[in-house]
């Protein structure tokens, strides 16, 4: 999927919602545990209930790897299910990988060839050759960690460069934006720091940003959109727990849809306000 | 495994060799492709041929994830095989994970509960809460990326802190060494920069270091050992391709053993020179 197609989907649905499929087998409704593949059964219902109001899904790999072979199988089934039944959806592997060139190529194959993800999240610590191998796939993306929304973000990401005064996350944005284009790179920018988005938009005005942390982690959608939105929307705002765990009963998918609709309705207003729809 | 046990194994074997199981299905001897699980068949032979001269094995996850469910199954079988047949071996998941607390806990479960790894490599970019959940397991370790051996290491790891003049990798060492102890944290330090090891040893004199890049990547074992060795050895030096791909014929395991023996013989001399054996 390219930027134009993604923006078309956002306009058509009036939504830039990404639903995080952080499916924890210990948190899904208990009756699903009787299914052959409880995690896939849960994801399937969540996806079918929300696919018309979400533009992206983002399984976090940790939740699948925790279950070993079975988890990896649930992940494959989930990606394939979304791809075939909801082909307009952008699918992000939240894997936060990052390794040297040769190995990065393997990860690219894992996520783009073997699995059919549109994008994979990547950590910047190891630099250019850990990122480049992902950028050789047409219409596939990396989403590079820049500024994360957790407390630990303050340990290193705000360190200031002696030479330029830039913070590490700013240097990551500036340096890495030269490695690819706005057609194969997005960035993770934490929502609990909405005011930073203005500065980030000065460095990378045109890239799409994946904003985690709206919902359970407490970010404000209107703040994030105010500082982060650009002419092609430029935002995918993620919500995981607030949507997928809206209920732990048999109505979990219905309640997930209700919560997704609430977020999407707010997004529609913001898109209108910004004259994008 | 704790430091004392690891050091005991190093002394007994006269070796601090870690064999990287970067098993690429496209590079293993072709006749193995007839096996039910070619990757596991390859690993099993490599392990049996080298377990008396190696103290650690390090499968790189990318090579297994590239094969999806089948790859994850090969990985599980490999870890279990090593654990049961060579219980004195330290097994490292080269996964370079790093995610927020909740998710980091999932990865810890994946590698320490579901799989029976002794250690997992972790990236530092997201800070303390992405590391801490791994440190709650007794006798399990994280190996944190500090200074990597690839070209991209220069993109961010050498950035100097405006406030202290420290380079980013030095700040990572200093800050993170407060999060755990020498009994649950090791560091990845790239071998192509042996001279940096002296400075690193001033910051973390007692931690074990995992040094990649000796062998195919061209680091010098004697240089690395000169600057990096401490009173409990303090080094695990990794070699992957030079050992596991020593031959692509039916003698691959035999040739792997020959190359492992060469490295181990050199290590034995260095351990003697340093009066550790």
């Amino acid at each position: 999927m390219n930027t134009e197609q993604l923006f078309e989907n956002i306009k058509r649905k009036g939504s830039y919602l990404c639903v995080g499929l952080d499916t924890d087998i210990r948190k899904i409704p208990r009756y699903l545990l009787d299914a052959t593949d409880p995690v896939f059964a849960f994801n399937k219902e969540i996806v079918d209930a929300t696919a018309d109001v979400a533009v992206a899904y983002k399984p976090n790999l940790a939740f699948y790897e925790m279950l070993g072979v079975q988890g990896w199988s649930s992940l494959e089934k989930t990606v394939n299910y979304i791809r075939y039944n909801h082909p307009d959806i952008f699918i992000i592997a939240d894997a936060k990988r990052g390794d040297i060139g040769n190995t990065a190529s393997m990860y690219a194959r894992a996520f783009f060839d073997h699995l059919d993800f549109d994008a994979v999240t990547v950590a910047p610590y190891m630099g250019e050759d850990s990122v480049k191998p992902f950028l050789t796939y047409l219409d596939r993306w990396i989403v590079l960690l820049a500024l994360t929304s957790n407390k630990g973000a303050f340990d290193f990401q705000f360190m200031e460069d002696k030479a330029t005064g830039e913070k590490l996350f700013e240097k990551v944005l500036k340096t890495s934006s030269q490695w690819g284009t706005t057609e194969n790179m997005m960035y993770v920018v934490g929502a609990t720091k909405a005011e930073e988005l203005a500065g980030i938009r000065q460095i990378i005005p045109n890239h799409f940003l994946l904003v985690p942390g709206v919902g359970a982690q407490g970010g404000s959608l209107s703040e994030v959109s105010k500082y982060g939105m650009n002419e092609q929307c430029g935002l995918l705002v993620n919500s995981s727990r607030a949507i997928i765990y809206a209920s732990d009963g048999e109505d979990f998918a219905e309640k997930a849809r209700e919560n997704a609709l609430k977020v999407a309705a707010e997004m529609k207003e913001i898109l209108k306000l910004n004259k994008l729809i």
Side-chain angles (χ1 to χ4, degrees), chain A:
Chain A
M1 195 179 297
N2 61 31
T3 300
E4 194 185 328
Q5 290 163 330
L6 180 58
F7 185 41
E8 279 306 315
N9 291 338
I10 288 170
K11 286 190 286 187
R12 186 168 42 83
K13 294 181 175 181
S15 163
Y16 42 103
L17 175 62
C18 174
V19 175
L21 296 174
D22 301 355
T23 307
D24 186 340
I25 195 159
R26 298 165 303 181
K27 287 189 186 162
I28 66 178
R30 294 190 58 82
Y31 79 91
L32 283 176
L33 299 179
D34 295 334
T36 321
D37 183 341
V39 169
F40 174 62
F42 179 85
N43 287 349
K44 185 175 170 299
E45 288 209 43
I46 291 285
V47 167
D48 286 340
T50 57
D52 61 327
V53 289
V55 290
Y57 289 96
K58 178 175 73 65
N60 187 309
L61 276 276
F63 292 79
Y64 301 85
E65 292 183 11
M66 189 182 74
L67 303 174
V69 170
Q70 176 59 49
W72 203 266
S73 168
S74 304
L75 179 68
E76 282 193 9
K77 279 190 266 181
T78 300
V79 175
N80 290 336
Y81 185 82
I82 298 170
R83 183 61 75 219
Y84 292 113
N85 294 282
H86 307 283
D88 64 347
I89 291 286
F90 190 78
I91 320 175
I92 303 166
D94 196 359
K96 301 189 175 70
R97 298 298 191 262
D99 210 316
I100 58 168
N102 178 37
T103 309
S105 303
M106 300 286 173
Y107 279 128
R109 286 171 61 98
F111 294 112
F112 297 154
D113 280 341
H114 193 94
L115 294 164
D116 196 7
F117 280 104
D118 293 291
V120 57
T121 59
V122 173
Y125 194 73
M126 294 183 70
E128 183 172 2
D129 50 330
S130 68
V131 168
K132 279 265 176 105
F134 291 96
L135 302 178
T136 59
Y137 289 75
L138 184 68
D139 292 345
R140 306 277 170 156
W141 301 72
I142 70 151
V143 191
L144 197 68
L145 299 186
L147 182 58
T148 60
S149 59
N150 63 320
K151 190 165 156 279
F154 292 95
D155 287 322
F156 307 120
Q157 294 168 27
F158 285 83
M159 175 175 144
E160 290 183 39
D161 191 340
K162 199 172 158 185
T164 63
E166 285 170 343
K167 298 185 179 81
L168 176 58
F169 76 86
E170 293 169 336
K171 191 180 172 76
V172 165
L173 290 169
K174 200 172 284 185
T175 306
S176 67
S177 65
Q178 305 300 313
W179 301 338
T181 70
T182 55
E183 285 296 336
N184 58 17
M185 291 189 75
M186 301 186 180
Y187 290 94
V188 171
V189 177
T192 55
K193 305 179 184 66
E195 70 279 10
E196 249 106 29
L197 276 168
I200 286 170
R201 274 301 182 207
Q202 294 200 322
I203 304 173
I204 44 156
N206 301 317
H207 286 79
F208 256 82
L209 308 180
L210 172 63
V211 184
V214 167
Q217 289 172 56
S220 150
L221 178 61
S222 62
E223 285 286 293
V224 163
S225 305
K226 180 179 162 190
Y227 294 110
M229 194 166 274
N230 66 18
E231 288 174 6
Q232 289 184 301
C233 183
L235 292 174
L236 293 174
V237 173
N238 186 74
S239 180
S240 299
R241 283 168 279 175
I243 291 177
I244 70 172
Y245 301 132
S247 158
D248 61 0
E250 295 197 13
D251 61 347
F252 76 95
E254 196 183 313
K255 294 292 178 190
R257 177 172 178 76
E258 280 175 24
N259 282 5
L261 276 169
K262 273 182 218 161
V263 182
E266 203 184 331
M267 287 175 166
K268 195 167 202 166
E269 286 310 307
I270 294 169
L271 287 166
K272 279 183 189 166
L273 210 70
N274 285 273
K275 301 193 188 340
L276 294 179
I277 55 173

